[in-house]
Amino acid sequence: MDEATRFGITAAERQRGFWLSLGEDEGRRRLPAPLPLDLPRNDDRYLPIVLNVLKELRGTVRVQVPSQWQRQVQAQWQTTSNDRVELRELPSSPLTLKAGTRETLWLRVGTHGKQPGQYRIPLRLSLGSAEVPITLALRVWPVTLTGKRPFHVRGYYSGPASLAGGATVTDATTRRLDAVLKVYAAMGGDVLDWLWNWLEVLPHVKI
């Protein structure tokens, strides 16, 4: 079964030059309308939206966000090189997208400053003169989760197993890894790679 049949690509999408999806491989599916998202209070999530390019396109990528949601919703563009994948601000200059390629737009959606409840957030994605609406169906739950410690991973890093004292997940290895990363984060560390001297961290760790 070809892609057009599998995903029901429409004539309007062919004319526009791209269609939107979520997921990869067997989990790949058309972007639902609306796009549902459940979040606790004072939290955020990243949503990857894939642009499936049907013909060569050139234009500037923009995402229009209602003024009352601009603090909570930001768009970023995924860039890929030989050794890393990064999220950056949307390019200010026009992009050229080749037919048959897939590009990923990320939406960072937060609930900071919003009360529990259900919200509809109308967005507009444009690529050059082509536009497509995206509606987020956000539900904010009346709960708050504990804080997260985000880390960037650089290279083929498998250090957590060493830091935890083993590759098997147990209460002891989880407690050890959490203690090490807590101290590292307190020092201002936010990148995990082989260049860091962990012997500088371990003397400060108490388990």
Side-chain angles (χ1 to χ4, degrees):
M1 182 182 299
D2 62 17
E3 181 175 276
T5 303
R6 178 184 174 190
F7 297 106
I9 298 173
T10 66
E13 289 168 334
R14 291 184 182 280
Q15 178 65 28
R16 188 174 64 211
F18 66 92
W19 62 280
L20 304 178
S21 66
L22 291 176
E24 296 290 340
D25 301 324
E26 294 302 318
R28 187 176 173 215
R29 63 193 187 280
R30 291 182 64 90
L31 187 74
L35 177 57
L37 179 62
D38 287 59
L39 284 175
R41 300 187 67 182
N42 300 317
D43 208 335
D44 50 44
R45 292 289 185 277
Y46 284 84
L47 298 175
I49 298 176
V50 179
L51 282 76
N52 303 271
V53 184
L54 300 173
K55 63 182 180 181
E56 183 167 318
L57 298 170
R58 180 170 176 78
T60 303
V61 178
R62 295 187 177 90
V63 176
Q64 299 177 28
V65 181
S67 58
Q68 67 270 30
W69 285 97
Q70 289 181 1
R71 178 188 171 198
Q72 290 83 11
V73 180
Q74 293 93 34
Q76 295 177 298
W77 192 251
Q78 178 175 307
T79 62
T80 305
S81 61
N82 291 333
D83 60 353
R84 69 179 62 190
V85 175
E86 293 182 302
L87 300 185
R88 297 183 176 181
E89 293 183 358
L90 295 182
S92 57
S93 56
L95 298 176
T96 299
L97 307 182
K98 301 293 185 181
T101 60
R102 299 177 190 169
E103 302 289 344
T104 304
L105 171 80
W106 289 79
L107 295 178
R108 180 181 182 272
V109 182
T111 59
H112 304 277
K114 296 298 181 180
Q115 294 299 315
Q118 299 188 44
Y119 301 89
R120 291 282 180 126
I121 310 173
L123 311 176
R124 293 200 70 84
L125 166 64
S126 62
L127 175 56
S129 60
E131 287 192 356
V132 59
I134 300 173
T135 301
L136 299 180
L138 173 64
R139 182 172 184 178
V140 181
W141 289 85
V143 296
T144 302
L145 303 182
T146 57
K148 303 183 292 293
R149 290 195 302 269
F151 292 101
H152 302 282
V153 178
R154 183 163 56 197
Y156 298 96
Y157 184 67
S158 59
S162 300
L163 299 177
T168 302
V169 178
T170 65
D171 288 343
T173 57
T174 301
R175 186 165 57 249
R176 174 187 169 102
L177 179 61
D178 184 68
V180 173
L181 294 181
K182 182 177 180 180
V183 171
Y184 180 52
M187 290 179 170
D190 65 353
V191 176
L192 300 179
D193 67 8
W194 288 110
L195 300 179
W196 180 257
N197 183 2
W198 291 102
L199 294 178
E200 298 289 334
V201 177
L202 295 179
H204 303 277
V205 177
K206 294 181 180 180
I207 303 174

